[in-house]
Amino acid sequence: MSSFTKSAQQWATFARSWYLIDARMQPPGKIATMCAIRLQGKHKPIYHALSDVGDHVVVMNSRHIAFSGNKWEQKMYSSHTQVHSSSIFLFFLQIVKLAVYGMLPRNLSRRTMMQRLHLFPEDDLPEDILLNLTEELPQPREIPRRLNEYSQEEREAFPTLWTP
Amino acid sequence: MVFLTLSCWIRNRGPDRYWKVQEVLSNARHFRGRKNRCYSLAVRAVRRAFVYATKARKIKRRNMRTLWISRIAAASREHGMKYPALMHNLVKSSVEVNRRVLSDLAITEPKSFLSLAKLARAGQQEGFGAALGDGKEPPGVFSRIVTLQ
């Protein structure tokens, strides 16, 4: 690193990266915290609120987010009227978007940071975004497997308390 | 008949009003609206500005410290540690580096910061071992008991 010119080093330090997050079977709140940290630039040691060091974040499969508990039935989003979270199909994008919007600092750069957040309902990302991506972030939640996804040997090897 | 009281009615105002007004307006030139031109409005705005500046001298130190802390937290998360764990283990290892220097190291000397993070990580593992283990000292260590004077 020390053999680079100063201008090249500065360019590399302040460059804006593009992060990819797969939101399949993930809680939207945890996805939103990861997004918010990177949109503000708080993951960088050069962070300053006025310096505009935030990165781009692309969230794919946001149609397949998974709330924990009974939140699909109980959580209410309001916008002049109450909207049930399980009713409208196109609402899925709004869940993650509202979550990230609420986690960003309430100042004028919030709108710019939201413009750097890109949400997609499924896997298919446009060409130009695919070319820009630099890093994929690990998923916050380990996806549990269904019973029929376990093989017969694993099911027999699982310890039992009593035989019926 | 001569008017003798005419001279008593002449008021000699101070000769330097212009410069007294300029003294205040020069501090208000970068303000928005009529406060940067009109003396009565400018006087109030300049007084508020000076009060804020006086109070801000203490707040600046607070803001700088929170900035250092968030930078150190970001750098330590890059190396897999969290900020509280890092600071506690550095204190336990009697590394008395303050937050200002730590944040500067994190920006300009990444390898030094990595070594400090590794030191803190070793102290953390040692603490876990002492808490969860069987009370014996790890092999090859003279004495883990370090007292800070």
Side-chain angles (χ1 to χ4, degrees):
Chain A
M1 301 291 172
S2 56
S3 61
F4 298 160
T5 56
K6 291 288 178 195
S7 54
Q9 202 167 358
Q10 168 119 0
W11 190 273
T13 323
F14 287 93
R16 216 173 275 155
S17 339
W18 284 67
Y19 290 100
L20 176 66
I21 298 180
D22 188 1
R24 183 176 282 277
M25 298 294 283
Q26 303 299 314
K30 295 213 157 107
I31 298 285
T33 46
M34 293 164 67
C35 292
I37 289 172
R38 278 160 186 87
L39 287 168
Q40 291 175 300
K42 287 215 146 186
H43 61 297
K44 299 182 178 174
I46 46 166
Y47 167 76
H48 195 279
L50 301 172
S51 297
D52 193 18
V53 287
D55 290 330
H56 290 257
V57 178
V58 176
V59 181
M60 64 181 196
N61 284 324
S62 51
R63 251 220 68 202
H64 302 280
I65 47 174
F67 268 120
S68 54
N70 290 335
K71 286 181 214 165
W72 287 117
E73 280 85 42
Q74 290 168 349
K75 194 166 170 68
M76 299 296 272
Y77 291 87
S78 57
S79 153
H80 309 288
T81 58
Q82 296 278 336
V83 174
H84 215 65
S85 35
S86 54
S87 57
I88 304 174
F89 171 74
L90 287 171
F91 188 71
F92 279 85
L93 281 182
Q94 289 291 88
I95 291 181
V96 180
K97 199 164 159 192
L98 284 173
V100 177
Y101 193 70
M103 292 186 187
L104 292 174
R106 318 285 191 267
N107 56 23
L108 290 173
S109 15
R110 184 161 60 158
R111 298 267 165 165
T112 358
M113 290 185 231
M114 286 305 287
Q115 286 187 327
R116 295 201 179 122
L117 172 71
H118 311 275
L119 297 164
F120 294 98
E122 306 283 350
D123 296 43
D124 48 337
L125 308 173
E127 273 286 332
D128 41 2
I129 290 187
L130 277 175
L131 289 170
N132 282 342
L133 292 172
T134 59
E135 195 184 330
E136 171 153 15
L137 300 172
Q139 296 193 306
R141 175 203 183 211
E142 204 187 290
I143 303 176
R145 288 190 284 171
R146 285 193 296 271
L147 186 61
N148 55 6
E149 283 168 12
Y150 282 94
S151 62
Q152 192 59 30
E153 297 88 28
E154 280 171 326
R155 266 188 260 180
E156 278 154 21
F158 201 82
T160 49
L161 276 175
W162 59 280
T163 44
Chain B
M1 185 159 106
V2 182
F3 292 103
L4 293 168
T5 50
L6 197 67
S7 58
C8 302
W9 294 339
I10 297 169
R11 291 174 61 197
N12 190 10
R13 304 304 239 353
D16 50 0
R17 182 188 300 175
Y18 170 78
W19 290 283
K20 290 203 175 184
V21 162
Q22 282 308 302
E23 207 176 19
V24 168
L25 282 178
S26 60
N27 295 111
R29 286 303 180 202
H30 61 283
F31 290 173
R32 184 188 270 219
R34 273 194 280 176
K35 313 196 273 277
N36 59 24
R37 299 185 288 283
C38 310
Y39 180 74
S40 326
L41 303 173
V43 149
R44 295 177 221 150
V46 165
R47 172 174 274 242
R48 283 182 79 91
F50 285 168
V51 165
Y52 287 144
T54 330
K55 287 188 203 166
R57 278 179 221 129
K58 285 195 185 175
I59 297 173
K60 179 177 178 180
R61 284 180 263 287
R62 287 181 224 166
N63 289 350
M64 298 239 79
R65 191 170 156 124
T66 42
L67 180 68
W68 296 329
I69 289 175
S70 50
R71 284 181 170 177
I72 296 168
S76 54
R77 272 172 203 262
E78 273 179 7
H79 298 308
M81 287 271 286
K82 292 190 189 168
Y83 171 81
L86 181 86
M87 297 311 286
H88 178 55
N89 290 108
L90 282 183
V91 163
K92 267 199 326 191
S93 318
S94 68
V95 174
E96 280 165 23
V97 183
N98 61 2
R99 284 143 184 90
R100 175 175 62 98
V101 171
L102 261 182
S103 69
D104 290 338
L105 285 179
I107 295 171
T108 52
E109 320 276 348
K111 291 181 193 163
S112 317
F113 190 85
L114 176 61
S115 57
L116 282 172
K118 282 185 181 165
L119 176 68
R121 172 65 73 86
Q124 192 186 35
Q125 298 302 327
E126 206 177 318
F128 288 159
L132 302 166
D134 40 2
K136 291 189 216 133
E137 290 193 8
V141 174
F142 266 118
S143 164
R144 263 196 290 110
I145 304 162
V146 174
T147 47
L148 290 166
Q149 276 95 31

